[in-house]
Amino acid sequence: TASQAESLLRRDGPNELRQPPKPSLLAHFALQLTGFVILLLLAAGMASVFVNASGPRRSDGLSYTTGGAVIIIVVINAGIAAWSELRAGGALEALSKMTQASIGVLRDGSVVKVDVPDIVRGDIVILSMGDVVPADVRLVEASDLRVCEMTL
């Protein structure tokens, strides 16, 4: 019944997955700098700078350009990759919001439209052609059922 569904919703909470906190741009940037090849390039750039700083041409500013250029390019590349990854995460979030907003549920003997987060344990969900299954459900009755397993 509607009153039971309301009490279950208060007790169990909405039918939504808990979202982990989103990593910041700085966290994405730091993760970009932890790859093996990136660490190898940074080490090579720093080694080039240190070798030139201890060599006979240490007063020549141009002797540091190779190592400095490698380090700068790696840092710029990590920044661009972190920004792209952060934007891709926003696109995925927008895509997940495009799911079905409401679904038919059998309550009090009649089918009513309910927002997907308001579905509770024990609800009988009425699925029609093209509907997205809004929760873990037990299939009671089906006729000509087809499932798109692409998202699985």
Side-chain angles (χ1 to χ4, degrees), residues 91-145:
L92 282 174
E93 184 179 310
L95 203 61
S96 71
K97 287 182 180 178
M98 289 175 50
T99 59
Q100 193 167 338
S102 63
I103 193 82
V105 173
L106 185 63
R107 286 189 185 162
D108 296 325
S110 62
V111 178
V112 293
K113 283 281 188 188
V114 174
D115 290 337
V116 170
D118 295 337
I119 294 174
V120 295
R121 192 176 316 142
D123 272 342
I124 297 176
V125 178
I126 309 298
L127 296 173
S128 303
M129 183 172 33
D131 283 346
V132 177
V133 178
D136 290 342
V137 296
R138 183 179 312 151
L139 199 56
V140 177
E141 182 180 322
S143 122
D144 196 25
L145 175 70

Side-chain angles (χ1 to χ4, degrees), residues 29-39 42:
F29 181 73
L31 281 173
Q32 291 297 321
L33 294 175
T34 59
F36 177 73
V37 173
I38 299 296
L39 291 174
L42 287 173

